[in-house]
Amino acid sequence: MKLLAATLGVLSAIGGFVDIGDLVAASQAGARFGMGHAWVLVLGVVGICAYAEMAGRIAAVSGRAVFDLVRERLGPRVALLNLAASYLVTVLTLAAELGGVALALQLASRVSYLLWVPVAAFAVWLVLWRMRFQLMERVFGLAGLTLLVFALALFWLPTDWAALGHGALHPGTAGQGWGAYWFVAVALFASTVSPYEVFFFSSGGVEENWSAADLADARSSVLIGFPVGGLLALSLVATATVVFHPGGVSLSTLDQVARPVVLAFGGVGLAVAALAFFAVTFGAALETGLSAAYAAAQYFGWQWGKRVSPREAARFHSVLLVSVLAATLLLSTTVDPVRLTEYMLVASAVVLPLTYLPILVVANDRTYLGDDVNGPWLNLLGAVFLLVIVAASVAALPLAVGTGMGR
Amino acid sequence: MRVQLGRQLLDRQLVDADGLLLGKVDDVAFALDEQGVPYVAYLLTGQGALGQRIGGRVGRLLVTLADRLTEETPGPLRIPIGQVARIDSAVRLRVRADELPRPPVEAWLRRHLIDRIPGADRASG
């Protein structure tokens, strides 16, 4: 039953690791560079585990979610800048996820995704308005696990495991140039440590009324959920490597992402893949929608969350509603949702340190945590990882401009 | 009570006696005692107070917005320091939210938007 306790972690991880942007980006990375980016996913999993554990512990012991800390530690001005940037990135990601839900429905129904967008948006809003938090987390956390069909496909396809392992240990450019290689690395990394994962995870802990007694559950949620998310992303890279890498096909649509599963399992595979795409993008839409509203409400100190009725948290629910509407309007301009997330990842990489630094500082503050402050090893890991985040943040823009978004 | 203003009081979450969230400590107001020594007399909360503290163009925008949305312009909510029960990861008050004036934006959105949607008065949990 550990898995049921870990669904918050799984759902948080899905938004970061295998949302619509990553379904394409991870497959794209596999098709172009083989297993050369596997280390990025491993690094991302270790880092997000360390920081989600801190954020979960702070939420359990002090009842404060991440954006509370951002304002308390960075002050109202810098925190407002972070809020503006995070909100923009999160709502644009929400738009991409709604597009992803619609694309998954198009894959299953052959009806244009543009017709599905309003349906998807309404369904997402309805779940946010009515569904109990824990039920929502379980349904979409578990449904997202259908993406394991990609890992399963590896055993049906003529997979050369030794070559996969060799590719993972000896990253190379596969003739695409180091600029493109590093651009893809930074984009993948930024997606695995998206700030909305920790906003959502810590706020979810508060929604579930965690206390110091729940620290063990919080920890297992982190240590099961995020590695599972990483495994799902890694299996996307691996299947794309097996099916596309030798030919060097450039892929950009969900049909192509699903092809390895179709090759392995035929029509049933396509159905399961469409279901999995639907589940992970819907889950990610819930996560990003809530995260945008959590961040705003926690910056201003408004009542937030699903434990109180919407009328008692009118500002929070208004932000939720406006975010979903804004995302829907953006999509109806027929902008390509997948391209949209590529730009989002660069933007989110730049502001990453503004979210992770306050978590590390507060995780060492006894006025919040008493004796549950970080130990020396976790601090070392946190500090090293913060350096990696800063490096990615500094490199993101030059790489994006220099390589023309990794072409 | 001895607290570090910048580190423990400003920007902390205000929580009422029932655990509801009331806003942040956006600013404080000082008063002088008989010896002329300043002390913190009120905690201020509301976009107006926050805007004045942030200053600049963004701050002025927040103040203007706050003024627009309040009908009788009562200014930021002032909470006497005596109402503070405890300060830990949040500033916990002795009063309950319904004894204080409701934040104007919350009241407006509740009346004109959220209450009009079916199911607004049931918590989903």
Side-chain angles (χ1 to χ4, degrees):
Chain A
M1 282 297 92
K2 278 276 184 206
L3 191 62
L4 271 189
T7 46
L8 179 59
V10 174
L11 185 55
S12 307
I14 280 174
F17 288 82
V18 285
D19 66 349
I20 181 65
D22 295 288
L23 287 173
V24 178
S27 304
Q28 177 91 302
R32 289 176 71 189
F33 301 100
M35 292 295 281
H37 288 97
W39 66 272
V40 179
L41 287 173
V42 175
L43 182 72
V45 168
V46 172
I48 192 76
C49 277
Y51 276 88
E53 195 277 330
M54 291 181 220
R57 181 153 35 92
I58 295 166
V61 174
S62 74
R64 298 271 74 80
V66 164
F67 224 90
D68 274 339
L69 316 177
V70 170
R71 177 160 165 198
E72 281 162 27
R73 280 295 154 266
L74 297 181
R77 275 184 218 201
V78 180
L80 189 61
L81 176 74
N82 189 358
L83 175 65
S86 301
Y87 182 81
L88 194 72
V89 170
T90 309
V91 170
L92 288 170
T93 313
L94 170 62
E97 305 305 345
L98 289 177
V101 175
L103 284 171
L105 289 168
Q106 171 181 298
L107 194 63
S109 69
R110 302 283 154 204
V111 175
S112 166
Y113 84 97
L114 280 170
L115 292 175
W116 284 115
V117 166
V119 180
F122 181 72
V124 164
W125 173 79
L126 199 62
V127 169
L128 296 175
W129 179 256
R130 284 284 0 132
M131 199 187 258
R132 208 155 55 82
F133 189 90
Q134 199 168 41
L135 182 65
M136 172 193 96
E137 160 209 317
R138 292 205 167 148
V139 168
F140 293 97
L142 292 178
L145 294 181
T146 40
L147 205 62
L148 280 170
V149 70
F150 278 85
L152 211 60
L154 277 181
F155 295 94
W156 260 258
L157 294 166
T159 303
D160 183 349
W161 293 92
L164 276 188
H166 185 267
L169 295 174
H170 301 86
T173 65
Q176 311 252 358
W178 283 108
Y181 176 86
W182 281 107
F183 175 79
V184 172
V186 167
L188 259 187
F189 178 76
S191 77
T192 60
V193 296
S194 311
Y196 53 77
E197 289 168 79
V198 282
F199 297 159
F200 180 74
F201 184 74
S202 66
S203 304
V206 177
E207 293 258 36
E208 291 189 4
N209 235 351
W210 281 353
S211 67
D214 300 307
L215 279 177
D217 273 355
R219 194 160 292 151
S220 62
S221 191
V222 169
L223 293 180
I224 296 173
F226 289 96
V228 164
L231 178 76
L232 294 175
L234 196 61
S235 61
L236 282 173
V237 178
T239 48
T241 303
V242 170
V243 173
F244 299 111
H245 184 49
V249 189
S250 161
L251 77 180
S252 54
T253 67
L254 271 188
D255 308 48
Q256 291 168 308
V257 174
R259 191 163 310 150
V261 179
V262 177
L263 286 176
F265 304 115
V268 179
L270 181 65
V272 177
L275 177 67
F277 294 162
F278 175 80
V280 295
T281 49
F282 203 97
L286 297 173
E287 174 175 356
T288 47
L290 278 172
S291 294
Y294 285 149
Q298 287 162 16
Y299 175 86
F300 289 106
W302 303 333
Q303 179 66 48
W304 54 269
K306 292 167 74 65
R307 302 185 62 81
V308 296
S309 67
R311 71 188 307 269
E312 286 177 278
R315 285 170 291 189
F316 171 74
H317 275 281
S318 303
V319 174
L320 262 182
L321 185 61
V322 167
S323 306
V324 174
L325 280 177
T328 313
L329 283 179
L330 187 69
L331 274 175
S332 52
T333 61
T334 71
V335 61
D336 178 0
V338 173
R339 293 283 295 161
L340 197 61
T341 53
E342 287 183 30
Y343 292 102
M344 276 325 88
L345 287 174
V346 176
S348 75
V350 176
V351 293
L352 280 179
L354 292 183
T355 297
Y356 286 93
L357 177 66
I359 299 178
L360 185 61
V361 172
V362 172
N364 284 289
D365 189 332
R366 286 182 186 276
T367 59
Y368 288 82
L369 283 169
D371 288 335
D372 288 311
V373 289
N374 279 359
W377 289 109
L378 189 55
N379 272 335
L380 183 66
L381 181 63
V384 169
F385 193 71
L386 196 63
L387 288 179
V388 178
I389 287 177
V390 171
S393 153
V394 172
L397 271 183
L399 276 174
V401 174
T403 65
M405 296 299 284
R407 298 290 147 237
Chain B
M1 190 161 47
R2 193 185 161 84
V3 290
Q4 283 178 289
L5 209 59
R7 256 177 63 83
Q8 288 175 285
L9 198 57
L10 282 174
D11 298 313
R12 289 272 164 140
Q13 181 71 49
L14 285 165
V15 180
D16 86 340
D18 297 331
L20 290 176
L21 309 178
L22 289 178
K24 294 271 179 174
V25 181
D26 288 315
D27 207 345
V28 294
F30 290 93
L32 299 177
D33 66 9
E34 299 88 67
Q35 283 94 45
V37 182
Y39 66 97
V40 174
Y42 294 97
L43 307 180
L44 310 186
T45 181
Q47 277 98 305
L50 176 65
Q52 280 178 358
R53 192 162 137 240
I54 289 179
R57 197 174 296 159
V58 178
R60 279 199 298 277
L61 184 72
L62 277 176
V63 174
T64 316
L65 270 178
D67 287 346
R68 268 286 170 76
L69 289 163
T70 46
E71 276 131 30
E72 313 96 66
T73 52
L77 179 59
R78 297 164 71 89
I79 298 165
I81 194 78
Q83 304 273 23
V84 175
R86 185 155 59 86
I87 299 177
D88 44 37
S89 67
V91 177
R92 292 169 203 281
L93 303 180
R94 291 180 221 282
V95 284
R96 296 178 46 210
D98 45 20
E99 299 165 35
L100 297 168
R102 184 160 293 143
V105 184
E106 175 86 11
W108 192 90
L109 285 171
R110 181 188 290 190
R111 192 155 5 107
H112 296 282
L113 179 65
I114 298 299
D115 263 353
R116 298 186 176 196
I117 306 173
D121 50 357
R122 281 180 303 162
S124 51

